[in-house]
Amino acid sequence: MTPPEVTKLEGIKRELGRKSASELRATRRVPAVLYGPNVTDNIHFSVDEIALEKILSVPTTKLQDITIDGQNYRTLLKNVEFDPITDKPLHADFYVLSDSHPVSLRVPIRLIGTPRGVLEGGGRMFQPLKIMRIKVLPEKIPADFSLDVSHLQIGDTMRVSDVEMDGIIPLDATTRTIVVIKPPKGALVDAAAELEEEEGEAAEGAADGNEGGSSDSADSGSSDESNES
């Protein structure tokens, strides 16, 4: 697991209120709040919009060194509120990390390589779980979970339980599927056609058996009538 990158940010304390927030956004600054187990009072500040968008543009876990009034805080970006129309960040929550307090976060899962079942067998790869929820101490926070899938064959599956997580507590069920290699579509069609053919043959055989029983019964009836006459 690779440790996360650390981005330096410059924070400026701000006043609370909608008017103040609107004025900040007009100058391309995003209202934010800083909180954590060792922070007595939440700190309300603003960060540069472009700097925040750079952090959001890369799908890995990142930490931030935020300086506010000469005080430095090691943080984790926990939540961002976006404008539903422009998709611009409206507000950001930064959690101040503490060495002795585990933190809950979502870590992206990155797949490395192309499965053998896809290259050699024409299979199809599906990734139902792209982000894993974990609980971990700050020193163990990973940038992402990088999983080598090149050895997977058709029918193979990787689950949460298959991920190396030394010192990390998974919050998703360990039985959850991360990636699975399914057969090619043609194979599924052929299998369905074969099953349908087998069911048809079984039905035809059953019908033949029923016809044979009726014939025997008729023969026995004719024999009885012959004897009676």
Side-chain angles (χ1 to χ4, degrees):
M1 290 178 289
T2 307
E5 295 180 7
V6 180
T7 303
K8 293 185 179 295
L9 292 176
E10 204 59 49
I12 301 175
K13 282 191 176 181
R14 64 183 175 92
E15 296 181 1
L16 296 178
R18 290 186 178 180
K19 182 179 179 181
S20 173
S22 297
E23 290 174 350
L24 285 170
R25 295 183 187 114
T27 61
R28 303 294 298 274
R29 293 196 67 83
V30 181
V33 63
L34 185 147
Y35 65 97
N38 295 333
V39 178
T40 305
D41 297 314
N42 292 354
I43 300 174
H44 300 274
F45 65 106
S46 68
V47 293
D48 180 71
E49 182 182 294
I50 295 176
L52 180 60
E53 287 180 338
K54 284 182 179 178
I55 293 174
L56 297 170
S57 66
V58 183
T60 58
T61 303
K62 291 169 290 295
L63 304 183
Q64 302 80 38
D65 271 342
I66 302 179
T67 302
I68 305 173
D69 287 349
Q71 181 70 39
N72 183 260
Y73 304 90
R74 175 63 61 94
T75 74
L76 171 70
L77 179 59
K78 286 284 282 184
N79 187 58
V80 179
E81 180 186 350
F82 294 93
D83 186 291
I85 298 175
T86 64
D87 203 35
K88 287 188 175 183
L90 296 177
H91 190 277
D93 295 351
F94 292 90
Y95 177 87
V96 181
L97 298 169
S98 169
D99 292 340
S100 59
H101 287 77
V103 60
S104 299
L105 68 152
R106 293 155 55 89
V107 178
I109 300 171
R110 184 166 62 96
L111 304 183
I112 300 173
T114 303
R116 291 184 63 185
V118 173
L119 282 176
E120 301 172 4
R124 298 169 297 152
M125 181 173 68
F126 292 89
Q127 187 182 358
L129 187 64
K130 293 181 171 64
I131 295 177
M132 193 186 306
R133 297 177 300 130
I134 64 170
K135 188 174 184 178
V136 63
L137 286 171
E139 63 179 13
K140 294 278 189 176
I141 292 176
D144 58 30
F145 289 111
S146 300
L147 305 182
D148 183 4
V149 296
S150 59
H151 64 285
L152 296 180
Q153 300 278 12
I154 291 176
D156 287 347
T157 300
M158 290 188 75
R159 295 182 171 85
V160 171
S161 58
D162 296 318
V163 181
E164 180 184 347
M165 285 188 274
D166 181 31
I168 298 174
I169 301 172
L171 299 180
D172 290 302
T174 56
T175 54
R176 284 198 64 179
T177 297
I178 295 174
V179 61
V180 59
I181 312 302
K182 293 187 177 182
K185 287 184 177 181
L188 296 178
V189 172
D190 292 342
E194 186 177 340
L195 179 60
E196 186 177 346
E197 184 178 344
E198 289 176 356
E199 290 176 345
E201 290 175 354
E204 185 179 342
D208 290 342
N210 290 335
E211 288 177 5
S214 300
S215 175
D216 290 344
S217 177
D219 287 344
S220 61
S222 299
S223 177
D224 290 341
E225 288 177 4
S226 173
N227 292 336
E228 288 177 2
S229 60

